[in-house]
Structure formats: C-alpha cells, structure tokens
C-alpha cells in the first residue's frame, strides 16, 4: 500500500485557524529580495539601503550589549577565567564578584546542567528582592517562575485558564499577536476591547464593561484580562488612574489580570512613569485574597535588548495553594528555562549599585540608550504629525510609534483591486519607493475603517533624518497620486 501523505487539511484545525499575517510576511519577503538586489545590482532601486523599522530587536539593529551583563555571563559560562591573573585587568571587580556568587548557586559551579523547573532558587531570590525594591511591597521568591522569555509563560497561563471555546479572555486591540495566537491555539474565544487612540491609547472602562457584558450574554465565560503596559504596538504608558480602574474592574468582575510589563524600563517621556500592576493593587489595599495577578517580564524588551538570550519570568500572586500546584505542574513539563537567560534576568532585576565599580559605566550605557530612544521617537512623531492625513500619539514607552493614516478612497480601492488590506498596500508602496520597512496595523488589529502602521524607534540616530526625508517625500507623492 502507498504511504499516507500528510496534508494541510489533516493538521490540527487550531493551527490552521492562526492568522497568517500575510501582509507582514509579504513585506518582509519583499524587503529581503530588495536587500539582495541592492547588493547584487547596485542602482536597481532609488535608494541604496533598507531602513528596517519593523524589527523590535535592538542588537540586530546595531545596539551594543551591556558590558556588565556580558562580563558576568562570560565568567559564568567559563569559570576557568575567574582564576586567571589577567582576568582582574579585563573584567570589572563587581562582575567577577557577581559571577562567583552566581556560580556558588550551581552544583559543581557549572551552568551546563538543568536547574529546578521553576528556576534556580538563589536567582529567584535575587529577582524577588528586585521586585520588592521596585514596587515597595514584598515579593515571595516562590511566586517567581523563570522562563524562556515572556512567550512561554503566556502560553502556560492560557493552558491553565482555557478549558474550551466557551472560555474567553479580554484582550486589547491593537495588541501583540502573541496573545491572540495563544488563545486560538487553546481554542479560546477572544473578547476584544479597543484602546482609545484619542486618550493616548488608554483603556476606556465603559467599553471594557460593555465588551465583558456582551460576551457573557453570549454564554462566554470570561476568565481574564490582558493588559500590555508599556504598550506594543502603540508605545503608550497607562496613567496610574487608569491602572487603578483596571485593577478595581478585575477585582469586582473576578478576572485574572495578565499584565505584560516587558517594556517597563523603556520610558520615553517625563510625564509618564511605569508602575507595575502589583504595586498599584497593593497600594489600593488589595492583597493576595483580593485579586489574581500574573505579571510577565523579559530580558528581550528593555533597553538591554537581549532577545536571543530568552530570559524572563512570571510572578503569580493571588492564587490559592491548590491552584499554585497546578501552575507548578505545567511549569514542570519543561525541565527548566535556559540558565543564561535565568542569570541575565537576575542581573536585570539587580544591576550594579552606586558602590560598584561598574555603576558609572552601566548608568552611562543605560541612560545613553534610553536618551537616544527618546530623541528618535520625538523626531519621528514630530515629522509624522506634519504629514497630511497622518496623526501620531506621543511616544511614551516601549520602542514604537503607531501612527494613523487616513487613506484616500482611491488608495483603498486600489488595494481592494489587488486583494490586499489598504495599510498593507501603503506599506508595500513605502518599501518599494523608500526602502523603509514598517508593519501594517492590520497585523495587530485596529478599529474597523482605520489604518495604522507600527514603526520602531530603533534605527541608528544618524539614520533618522534620512528616514524622515524619505518618508515625507513618499507620503506627499502617495497622497497626490490617490487624491480623491
């Protein structure tokens, strides 16, 4: 008998139901082709380089890794260096001391073995101390689960919360596809709530309540609420008053608050400050028995941009001991998260202090990167808001701007003729004419009839004037070509 051939139709229908993000993929593939053509056929395009504004991957854009972090990682990975006389002249004294302390946490002082499935106990202690210092409220190391970035714990919580298609999660629109994709894979019902662009992408509580009530009226058992703060793709930072409203809403409606706080150190404006949802809840007087809260953090997304290291954690509070056992059970399905990521997460939450040799250089590196982000964001937003039919909220945090473009009817018709979304059509035309790569807003979701694109603020600062001049020239020509 002939072997049976696996077909797409025979795959898990939940995988097939995942959004393909065809527009984003088409733009990425075209950018790669153009990059190759520029290199092999100079002069084949009206520009000589691609400006990648679609990547939230700082080190791939030329950002240097933090010196202190890499010193400690190097010494932990190759402990033989610590005993060499030359090491004292090559590495800072506090990096050497930190590496010794970390290595003492591992059997045989090697980072090549498995750790506890929840993460190395001593590193969780350090992270818990960092959270306590950040929030001003206690953190228990037993509430910390060290993970390979923020995506695995999100999937973990979806496994725990979702039982069937009658269960739903409130999720912001626009938002990162991690949440919507995870819900689709678990068979959950997505209950969207739209962020309010007119309020700098804040959460309008009346809309949140309406979406919850509508879902419940349809028999959907809404289990949790996702909040991304600072926002991806919007680059907003929630006001404290809005956070308090969200906490009270979750407490009253008995929802698990899933707080994505991976960009917490990336704040671009003086009038907004990051405060964790745990800090907000505790400051309101709510303790473990009042609200269930899971917060996510990662080494990928701060100013350090260590995306490839895959380090992260989730802090789980407000779950009773029996439920906590089930969280542990799911965590134990993986032997452990990678050790380098665990170490780096502990360094992020406990960086050099003022008495350490590395403190001055560490602060200079950190402040330099964040200042560059702020200047690039401010320049982009100012230029975009000068363009016809474009509005862009002030960049407050993370590493994105998310402008709205009111596309002419002729442009929308031209996109429909090509069977593509209007914002994808705009982004492809932008790429072909300028070499600038952005992500269409339809990838993240948006209010129907509105069009956006996400643009990172990561290009090197000296490239920003080139970005602005190319973008402005393109947009003016585009609007003239398709003017109604």
């Amino acid at each position: 008998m002939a072997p049976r051939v696996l077909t797409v139709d025979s795959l898990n229908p939940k995988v097939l139901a995942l959004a393909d993000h065809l527009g984003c993929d088409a733009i990425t593939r075209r950018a790669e082709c153009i990059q190759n053509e520029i290199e092999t056929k100079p002069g084949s395009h009206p520009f000589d380089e691609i400006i990648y504004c679609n990547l939230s991957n700082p080190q791939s854009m030329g950002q240097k890794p933090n010196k202190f972090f890499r010193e400690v990682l190097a010494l932990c990975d190759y402990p033989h260096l610590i005993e060499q006389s030359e090491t004292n002249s090559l590495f800072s004294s506090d990096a050497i001391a930190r590496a010794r302390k970390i290595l003492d946490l591992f059997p045989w002082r090697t980072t090549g073995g498995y750790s506890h499935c929840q993460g190395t106990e001593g590193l969780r202690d350090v992270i818990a101390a960092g959270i306590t210092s950040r929030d001003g409220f206690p953190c228990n190391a037993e509430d910390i689960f060290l993970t390979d970035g923020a995506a695995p714990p999100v999937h973990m919580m979806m496994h725990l919360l979702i039982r069937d298609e009658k269960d739903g999660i409130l999720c912001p629109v626009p938002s990162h596809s991690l949440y919507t994709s995870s819900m689709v894979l678990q068979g959950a019902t997505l209950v969207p709530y739209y962020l309010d662009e007119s309020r700098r992408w804040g959460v309008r509580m009346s809309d949140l309540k309406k979406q919850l009530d509508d879902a419940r009226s349809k028999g959907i058992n809404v289990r949790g609420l996702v909040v991304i703060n600072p926002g991806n793709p919007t680059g907003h930072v929630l006001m404290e008053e809005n956070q308090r409203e969200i906490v009270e809403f979750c407490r009253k409606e008995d929802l698990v608050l899933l707080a994505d706080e991976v960009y917490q150190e990336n704040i671009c404006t003086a009038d907004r400050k990051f405060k964790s949802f745990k800090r907000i809840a505790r400051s309101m007087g709510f303790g473990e028995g009042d609200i269930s809260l899971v917060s996510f953090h990662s080494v990928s997304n701060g100013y350090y941009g260590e995306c490839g290291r895959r380090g992260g954690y989730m802090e789980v509070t407000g779950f009773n001991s029996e439920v906590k056992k089930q969280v542990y059970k799911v965590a134990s399905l993986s032997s452990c998260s990678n050790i380098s990521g665990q170490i780096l997460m502990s360094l992020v939450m406990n960086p050099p202090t003022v008495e350490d040799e590395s403190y001055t250089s560490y602060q200079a590196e950190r402040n330099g990167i964040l200042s560059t982000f702020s200047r690039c964001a401010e320049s982009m937003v100012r230029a975009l808001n000068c363009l016809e039919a474009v509005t862009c909220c002030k960049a407050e945090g993370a590493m994105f701007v998310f402008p709205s473009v009111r596309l002419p009817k002729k442009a929308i018709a031209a996109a429909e003729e090509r069977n593509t979304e209007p914002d994808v059509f705009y982004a492809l035309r932008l790429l072909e004419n300028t070499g600038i790569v952005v992500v269409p807003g339809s990838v993240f979701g948006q209010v129907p009839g509105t069009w956006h694109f996400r643009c990172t603020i990561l290009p090197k600062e000296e490239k920003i004037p080139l970005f602005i001049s190319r973008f402005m020239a393109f947009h003016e020509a585009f609007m003239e070509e398709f003017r109604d």
Side-chain angles (χ1 to χ4, degrees):
M1 294 180 62
R4 304 185 69 175
V5 179
L6 184 67
T7 66
V8 170
D9 292 337
S10 67
L11 297 178
N12 184 340
K14 293 175 183 177
V15 173
L16 300 179
L18 285 172
D20 287 324
H21 300 319
L22 292 178
C24 182
D25 291 343
I27 292 166
T28 301
R29 288 196 302 270
R30 183 58 186 144
E32 291 171 351
C33 289
I34 292 175
Q35 180 71 57
N36 182 62
E37 290 165 3
I38 289 173
E39 294 171 358
T40 58
K41 303 174 185 177
S44 58
H45 292 274
F47 44 86
D48 58 6
E49 65 176 317
I50 300 288
I51 301 178
Y52 291 99
C53 297
N54 60 323
L55 303 174
S56 52
N57 193 356
Q59 292 189 31
S60 75
M61 301 285 284
Q63 180 178 304
K64 295 184 184 305
N66 180 272
K67 181 175 180 288
F68 175 78
F69 291 165
R70 288 302 181 89
E71 284 187 351
V72 176
L73 286 174
L75 293 167
C76 287
D77 281 342
Y78 191 42
H80 176 71
L81 287 174
I82 294 180
E83 309 308 327
Q84 304 307 303
S85 58
E86 305 97 310
T87 300
N88 289 326
S89 61
L90 294 174
F91 292 80
S92 59
S93 59
D94 53 326
I96 296 171
R98 186 73 68 91
R100 289 183 186 277
K101 186 177 294 187
I102 290 172
L103 286 169
D104 286 341
L105 301 174
F106 296 96
W108 302 102
R109 295 172 59 79
T110 178
T111 59
Y114 289 129
S115 76
H116 188 283
C117 66
Q118 195 172 338
T120 305
E121 183 177 1
L123 297 179
R124 286 189 284 118
D125 289 336
V126 170
I127 291 168
I131 294 172
T132 299
S133 176
R134 181 197 68 190
D135 292 342
F137 294 94
C139 173
N140 185 346
E142 289 303 307
D143 294 337
I144 303 295
F145 291 78
L146 300 187
T147 56
D148 290 326
V154 169
H155 294 312
M156 195 185 305
M157 292 312 303
M158 294 301 173
H159 276 296
L160 288 157
L161 291 175
I162 303 305
R163 298 163 296 185
D164 54 40
E165 70 279 357
K166 293 181 181 179
D167 286 337
I169 302 289
L170 281 157
C171 188
V173 177
S175 72
H176 193 281
S177 59
L178 165 63
Y179 295 94
T180 53
S181 297
S182 185
M183 280 183 255
V184 170
L185 285 173
Q186 293 302 317
T189 297
L190 170 67
V191 183
Y193 67 93
Y194 289 101
L195 301 178
D196 190 344
E197 190 169 5
S198 68
R199 299 176 64 203
R200 290 163 69 171
W201 299 109
V203 178
R204 189 179 291 276
M205 301 309 297
S206 58
D207 178 61
L208 195 57
K209 176 63 173 171
K210 179 179 182 301
Q211 295 301 105
L212 176 64
D213 290 344
D214 285 351
R216 285 174 171 170
S217 71
K218 297 172 184 175
I220 299 171
N221 184 13
V222 181
R223 312 293 310 279
L225 167 68
V226 172
V227 181
I228 307 175
N229 182 52
N232 180 5
T234 53
H236 73 280
V237 179
L238 289 173
M239 296 181 65
E240 182 176 342
E241 178 184 357
N242 207 186
Q243 289 184 268
R244 289 175 174 271
E245 292 173 326
I246 292 166
V247 168
E248 177 59 40
F249 179 81
C250 288
R251 187 194 67 82
K252 181 178 179 181
E253 301 293 345
D254 194 25
L255 301 174
V256 178
L257 178 52
L258 304 168
D260 181 325
E261 299 176 332
V262 300
Y263 285 105
Q264 61 187 257
E265 298 206 51
N266 290 33
I267 305 299
C268 299
T269 180
D271 66 341
R272 290 288 167 93
K273 303 292 183 185
F274 170 79
K275 292 185 179 180
S276 74
F277 271 96
K278 181 186 172 188
R279 176 179 176 179
I280 294 295
R282 297 295 181 264
S283 69
M284 294 173 69
F286 298 143
E288 289 274 340
D290 299 307
I291 183 171
S292 296
L293 169 63
V294 183
S295 58
F296 307 102
H297 195 13
S298 166
V299 303
S300 303
N301 306 104
Y303 65 89
Y304 19 83
E306 292 280 7
C307 303
R309 294 292 172 168
R310 309 311 303 140
Y313 73 73
M314 68 173 179
E315 182 187 9
V316 180
T317 61
F319 290 17
N320 66 40
S321 59
E322 292 304 309
V323 172
K324 199 72 149 300
K325 288 179 182 178
Q326 303 308 308
V327 178
Y328 181 88
K329 181 195 297 182
V330 175
S332 66
L333 295 176
S334 298
S335 298
C336 69
S337 59
N338 81 87
I339 301 301
S340 292
Q342 292 188 29
I343 293 171
L344 190 52
M345 193 74 253
S346 75
L347 300 177
V348 164
M349 296 306 293
N350 182 26
T353 55
V354 67
E355 66 272 10
D356 293 324
E357 179 186 340
S358 297
Y359 178 76
T360 301
S361 62
Y362 172 84
Q363 288 294 323
E365 289 179 61
R366 175 185 183 276
N367 295 339
I369 291 169
L370 292 176
S371 295
T372 298
F373 285 174
S374 294
R375 291 193 299 270
C376 290
E378 185 178 354
S379 296
M380 282 185 172
V381 170
R382 187 188 310 115
L384 289 166
N385 279 322
C386 289
L387 297 176
E388 176 187 0
V390 176
T391 55
C392 185
C393 292
K394 181 178 181 180
E396 299 171 339
M399 51 182 64
F400 315 106
V401 294
F402 196 64
S404 169
V405 184
R406 297 180 297 281
L407 295 173
K409 293 179 181 177
K410 288 183 180 179
I412 295 173
E416 291 174 347
E417 288 175 5
R418 292 163 176 79
N419 195 31
T420 190
E421 292 285 350
D423 53 0
V424 175
F425 175 72
Y426 179 88
L428 279 169
R429 288 287 295 261
L430 174 67
L431 170 60
E432 295 286 355
N433 285 273
T434 68
I436 296 172
V437 192
V438 297
V439 183
S442 50
V443 170
F444 307 99
Q446 53 198 342
V447 173
T450 67
W451 312 108
H452 300 77
F453 61 87
R454 191 190 76 171
C455 182
T456 65
I457 59 176
L458 295 179
K460 288 185 174 295
E461 190 170 8
E462 58 266 26
K463 299 290 185 184
I464 298 302
L466 180 62
F467 164 88
I468 290 173
S469 61
R470 285 188 189 179
F471 201 109
M472 295 183 79
F474 160 77
H475 184 79
E476 290 171 6
F478 181 93
M479 295 300 290
E480 194 60 40
E481 178 182 353
F482 293 102
R483 191 170 300 283
D484 295 329

